[in-house]
Structure formats: structure tokens, C-alpha cells
Amino acid sequence: MQKPTALVIGAGIGGIATAARLAKNGYDVTVLEKEATPGGRCNQIIREGHRFDIGPTLFLMPEIWEETFAALGERMSDHLQLKRIDPTYKVHFDDGLQLELTSNIGEMQTQLEKVEKTAFTGFLNYIAEGNRHYKMSLEKFVGRNFHTIFEYFSLGNLPLLFKLKALKKHYANTGRFFKDERLKAAFTFQNMYLGLSPYDAPATYSLLQYTELAEGVWYPVGGMYAAIQALVKIAEKLGVQFIYNAPVKKMKEERGRIKSVFIEDGREFLADLFVGNADLPYIYKELLPKNDEAKKLEKKLYTCSTIMFYWGVDKEYPQIAHHNVFLGGDYKASFDQIFNDHTLPEVPVGHLDARSEQDWEALVNRARGTVLTRLAKELGAEDLIEHIKFEIVYQPKVWKDRFNLEKGAAFGLSHNFWQVGYLRPQNRHKEYKNLYFTGASTHPGTGLPIVLLSARLTTERILKETGTISVQNMANALAQARTYRVSH
Ligand SMILES: Cc1cc2nc3c(=O)[nH]c(=O)nc-3n(C[C@H](O)[C@H](O)[C@H](O)COP(=O)(O)OP(=O)(O)OC[C@H]3O[C@@H](n4cnc5c(N)ncnc54)[C@H](O)[C@@H]3O)c2cc1C
């Protein structure tokens, strides 16, 4: 019997994982990727003997990664050698205070009590709350599909929104645990990973601090890209065909379904179903024939962007550890500048905004100056500038041009209350019932493990709606789901 065919647009982690899951479930899968290599935002740069992770450097929530490998019939430990990173990072305040966030409880106590007498008790309570938020969110909201608004705002779910503090602001809620403004900052800036200001983010997101400190920050030997290489290898073993340098230009509709896609060189690819892994708002805006939804998406809230400096340096600076976070003096003003003015505070930056003038060259120069000054003053790297052999810069325009990220928003659509769960753009097109989405701007959201969940949820929806799951695979899926639940 001929296999059903699936075509995936984009070989980001979401596209790779969805392609592999579909292949495992009996699909003949082709992935079209515009770049020369897979990985998307989780790609790498190799130059003159230096290797850089372009985007992610924190390997979080290993149990979700493990579930992905298991669903593909593999063991993560056979493919990735993970090292725990502890302390996770050093936070530098502009008044000279430094905090090393670590899972070593004794160390945390000593550091926190130096800043505020009751801070250690506050910290334990804060992490306990983060633990509750993490477990509850994963089980009830993040790790499942919502097909109707009634499922989402069901009588069972409504009390959970309060338990998860979905309507409280994260920064304000942190005041219940710490009084010192610097401690509130140290335990909320992580919202930036979701591209959210802690002044707007729901208090639910204390789950991030819990996962980092309790479940751990990890790093694969060989770099984050080792994870992409491992997943691509498994996908290829399952029969997925990857075609690189193949930017999709248009999707063709026929009788209410997507029939094919055209790539830049004019070739047409037909399939039974399509999965968009490129940024969802971009697909609606640039690839789909009808555009009503694109206009609505344009008005949604987007995450911030970033300016990245990849420096090839010919000297070692052992005093600069793997992750350092430098917080600006006026914490609130910094976030206002990023999220309201869409410009540059001390480093993370707002996204592209057609309404305001943004001179990116000047902003990049200012960012470089600030970074070099703080590294010199606070970490003694005074001669760093003389030892930079080459520099590669990623700023919002690069994020947009290279990966087609709408507005250059590095983390995709934002994750405020109105843009999560059922309220986030769905992982299936409303009209074209054979067009699905996977990745950071659909449900559940951004971050590598969360995108891996997206791949699982999209695949589950496809298999449910097309009825293509084989008896054998259903048995496997059930067994895996059981293992997954037990591991929690
Ligand atoms: C600076 C930065 C730091 C981050 N740090 C972390 C971290 O430490 N930990 C973590 O877990 N997450 C982190 N993230 C988030 C994480 O990188 C993303 O959530 C995740 O990589 C998104 O994967 P994706 O598959 O949704 O999208 P993408 O990686 O964007 O993949 C989409 C793919 O589609 C391709 N594409 C686009 N248009 C077309 C087209 N027309 N035709 C064909 N192909 C197309 C793109 O080239 C790309 O390969 C970070 C992100 C950034 C930007």
C-alpha cells in the first residue's frame, strides 16, 4: 500500500521532530529548508576554528527531549552526552553585586542571606511555587491540544488559571518572596527567554526558574547543534528526505485544501498534507493564497529581538564564565524601552517596528560599546577589543531575512494571557484542513523543549484527524505516554 505523503516547510527543530514523528507513523515525508543546513534558530557558525551556537545555549527540560527520542524508537543517551551546567549563570548588577544561581542550596543560602535576611525562605517558597506551576502547566495546558474554546475555558480549567496565577504579573508576584529589587530582578529576567517583560508576563512563568534550578541547565558535548544533528540523523533513518537551499515561495490551494508548494527555482511539490514550521505569521502573510488572517496576526503582540555578537577571539579569558547576565541600573525602564519603545536599553532589544525610526547600525554600535565596557570594568577583560579577530552580528533584520521571522522577533509570537493555549494561533489552519503548523509561534510556544512538545501535539492531531495511526504505532504511543507520565 502506498504511504500517505507529508511535506514540511522548514527544518527548524519543530520541523525536524514533526517530520521524524510522521515518518515513524507511516508517512513518506519530505522537508524543504531554505537554508543550506538544518536547525533554524538552533544552527551554528563555524569559522577559523571557532564554533558558535547561533541561538539557544541552555538545554532545558531534558525529560521532554527524552520523550521525543523515545517516541522515535531511540534513547537520548545513545545520541547525546549531556553535561550539567552549575552554576547556571552569574548575574551582575550595576552596583557591583554578583549572584551565582546554583542548585547548591547551601551556596544559595549564603549568597541570598547576604542581600536580605529572609531571602532564602523566600527563595524556597518561590521555587516550590515554580514547581507547582511547571507540573500543572505541562499536564493541563502546555502538553495538550485544545480543539475548542470550551475545552480551554472549561469548568475544570478555570480554577487552574487562578492556581497558576495566570492573571497576576510575574514581577509583582515575586514581591511576595523578596523585597530587594535586585533579587526580584534575578528571579524574573528569565522571562526574556519567552520574549516577555516580567512586568507583563503572567506569574505562571516562575516555572522557568524552577526548571533551571531544580531540573537543571544542561549542555550537549559538541554544542547545542549536536542535538539537531542527532534528530536529523534519526529522521533520515526513518526515511525523511531533507532538501536544502529550497525556499518555499507559494502554497497552491485547490478546492479548499493545499495541493502543492512551489520553491524558488519553480519546482512544485505535491503532498497529502503540509506542515508549516517556518514562522506562522510569515506563512500566513507570504505563502498562503488568502490573506485575511495575516492582517490579524500582524496586530498581535510579538516577542523582543536580540543583538548577538559572535566574536572570534585569539586570547583566553578564564574569568568569563559560560553564561553571564548583566542587568541595567533601571530594571523597569529597560523593559519599557524594549517592549514599549522597541529600542535598545543595555542589551536585549525590541523587535522591528515600521512605525518608529530604528537606526540599527547605531544601535549595534552602542550595544557593542556597552558590552565591551561592562566586560572590561566588571570582569577585567580590558584588552578584549584588541583580541577580536572577527565579528559576526545578528540583529533584528538578520533574524528576519535569514529565518523569515516576522518583525525579526527572535522568539516568535508573544506569550501573554491572550496568546497562549487555545488563544494562540492553532496548529491547524481553520480552512485548509490538510495544513498544520509546528514551531515557536503556534501552540504551546517558544523554547526548544516547548517546540518539541509542539511537534508531538501537531503529530498527534494529524494522526487523529487523518486516522493514519497504525495499530502497532498506537500501542507504541500508549506505552511511551505511560513512560512519560511515570517519569514525572
Ligand atoms: C538568541 C536566541 C536564544 C535562544 N535561547 C534558547 C535557549 O537557551 N534554550 C531554548 O530552549 N530555546 C532558546 N531559544 C528559542 C529557540 O531557539 C526557538 O524557540 C526554537 O529554535 C524555534 O524552533 P522552530 O522550529 O519553531 O523555528 P526555527 O528554528 O525558526 O525554524 C524554522 C525553519 O524554517 C525555515 N524557513 C523559513 N522560511 C522558509 C521558507 N519559505 N521555505 C523553507 N524554509 C523556510 C528557516 O530557515 C528555519 O530553518 C533561543 C532563541 C534565540 C533566537
Side-chain angles (χ1 to χ4, degrees):
M1 209 176 75
Q2 215 175 352
K3 288 180 172 183
T5 53
L7 198 137
V8 179
I9 303 166
I13 191 158
I16 302 165
T18 310
R21 282 178 182 265
L22 286 174
K24 178 81 180 156
N25 281 283
Y27 273 85
D28 180 350
V29 190
T30 303
V31 181
L32 298 175
E33 166 56 50
K34 85 182 258 292
E35 292 289 308
T37 50
R41 279 167 266 186
C42 189
N43 213 309
Q44 64 176 356
I45 299 170
I46 296 181
R47 182 160 153 189
E48 296 175 35
H50 300 265
R51 205 200 62 79
F52 308 88
D53 291 316
I54 289 184
T57 56
L58 307 173
F59 188 105
L60 300 168
M61 307 178 190
E63 74 280 14
I64 295 180
W65 291 83
E66 262 163 24
E67 187 275 337
T68 298
F69 281 86
L72 303 175
E74 305 277 338
R75 264 201 330 231
M76 182 164 75
S77 54
D78 291 338
H79 295 270
L80 291 179
Q81 195 190 337
L82 294 183
K83 299 246 177 205
R84 182 142 186 189
I85 296 180
D86 199 295
T88 53
Y89 33 67
K90 202 179 241 186
V91 186
H92 304 255
F93 297 89
D94 72 340
D95 63 0
L97 175 71
Q98 294 184 354
L99 278 181
E100 277 189 350
L101 299 193
T102 166
S103 60
N104 182 326
I105 291 292
E107 282 284 325
M108 275 309 269
Q109 182 167 13
T110 311
Q111 293 187 79
L112 291 172
E113 286 180 349
K114 270 190 202 150
V115 182
E116 186 179 295
K117 251 190 163 168
T118 56
F120 183 61
T121 314
F123 167 74
L124 293 178
N125 290 333
Y126 181 70
I127 293 296
E129 182 172 289
N131 173 19
R132 286 195 297 279
H133 289 174
Y134 178 66
K135 299 265 157 69
M136 218 185 294
S137 303
L138 210 61
E139 192 188 330
K140 305 284 184 189
F141 290 102
V142 178
R144 57 161 294 189
N145 278 313
F146 293 98
H147 302 96
T148 67
I149 191 134
F150 304 109
E151 274 182 22
Y152 188 55
F153 287 117
S154 68
L155 281 178
N157 275 353
L158 279 177
L160 294 178
L161 292 179
F162 293 96
K163 278 194 188 158
L164 284 168
K165 300 196 170 172
L167 301 168
K168 285 206 169 133
K169 303 293 184 211
H170 193 186
Y171 189 83
N173 187 54
T174 312
R176 291 184 54 239
F177 307 100
F178 311 104
K179 294 285 162 277
D180 190 287
E181 295 298 320
R182 293 166 303 178
L183 295 183
K184 289 191 212 169
F187 292 105
T188 54
F189 76 83
Q190 295 84 349
N191 288 162
M192 293 294 297
Y193 307 168
L194 299 170
L196 278 174
S197 157
Y199 295 92
D200 293 328
T204 319
Y205 291 127
S206 58
L207 63 87
L208 269 173
Q209 286 72 9
Y210 162 76
T211 57
E212 284 187 354
L213 290 169
E215 312 252 331
V217 172
W218 303 77
Y219 193 72
V221 172
M224 295 299 282
Y225 202 61
I228 296 294
Q229 287 167 323
L231 288 173
V232 168
K233 194 170 145 202
I234 293 168
E236 284 177 338
K237 195 167 118 186
L238 291 167
V240 176
Q241 191 197 1
F242 288 87
I243 305 179
Y244 299 108
N245 299 307
V248 172
K249 284 285 144 192
K250 275 281 162 255
M251 301 177 97
K252 188 171 158 189
E253 175 222 33
E254 199 175 276
R255 276 178 267 133
R257 291 174 75 78
I258 297 299
K259 186 183 173 228
S260 61
V261 302
F262 287 89
I263 61 169
E264 202 167 60
D265 65 11
R267 271 184 292 164
E268 183 179 15
F269 290 81
L270 291 103
D272 297 320
L273 70 86
F274 297 81
V275 181
N277 169 233
D279 200 25
L280 181 142
Y282 154 84
I283 295 183
Y284 274 92
K285 192 169 158 190
E286 304 290 344
L287 304 186
L288 282 171
K290 277 188 201 151
N291 246 348
D292 300 352
E293 200 62 28
K295 289 195 189 101
K296 283 192 210 153
L297 286 167
E298 182 112 340
K299 295 197 187 104
K300 294 224 178 258
L301 215 61
Y302 284 78
T303 56
C304 62
S305 194
T306 58
I307 293 176
M308 315 289 290
F309 295 105
Y310 309 100
W311 288 331
V313 175
D314 65 7
K315 182 179 167 185
E316 280 190 25
Y317 293 88
Q319 73 271 38
I320 305 181
H322 45 84
H323 292 102
N324 292 279
V325 178
F326 295 89
L327 292 176
D330 191 340
Y331 190 61
K332 170 125 182 25
S334 298
F335 285 105
D336 286 346
Q337 281 165 319
I338 299 168
F339 291 95
N340 301 336
D341 307 340
H342 301 154
T343 187
L344 179 75
E346 297 297 315
V347 163
V349 298
H351 57 64
L352 297 172
D353 182 353
R355 292 163 309 167
S356 62
E357 287 220 343
Q358 295 164 305
D359 178 350
W360 283 108
E361 207 184 313
L363 291 173
V364 165
N365 286 337
R366 183 147 74 80
R368 184 189 298 104
T370 308
V371 174
L372 286 169
T373 305
R374 289 199 72 166
L375 286 174
K377 272 197 190 153
E378 292 168 48
L379 293 180
E382 277 105 2
D383 61 352
L384 179 59
I385 194 160
E386 293 147 37
H387 290 278
I388 297 177
K389 289 190 294 176
F390 65 85
E391 171 186 280
I392 299 165
V393 179
Y394 270 40
Q395 43 102 327
K397 282 184 179 159
V398 181
W399 290 116
K400 183 174 194 306
D401 295 344
R402 176 144 190 216
F403 298 118
N404 287 329
L405 296 174
E406 184 60 19
K407 298 182 201 290
F411 308 87
L413 277 174
S414 187
H415 302 79
N416 68 355
F417 178 76
W418 303 106
Q419 293 185 184
V420 291
Y422 181 77
L423 307 175
R424 200 164 178 79
Q426 295 275 299
N427 54 16
R428 200 204 64 207
H429 196 279
K430 269 194 209 124
E431 227 177 289
Y432 308 122
K433 302 266 191 291
N434 67 337
L435 172 57
Y436 293 84
F437 300 98
T438 186
S441 285
T442 184
H443 176 61
T446 202
L448 298 169
I450 305 303
V451 174
L452 287 177
L453 281 179
S454 164
R456 169 164 78 75
L457 296 178
T458 303
T459 310
E460 279 173 8
R461 187 163 185 177
I462 292 171
L463 299 180
K464 189 172 167 218
E465 292 180 353
T466 58
T468 38
I469 191 162
S470 67
V471 174
Q472 180 55 49
N473 284 332
M474 200 183 297
N476 290 345
L478 282 174
Q480 276 146 16
R482 220 171 298 130
T483 325
Y484 186 42
R485 266 200 300 276
V486 168
S487 75
H488 275 80

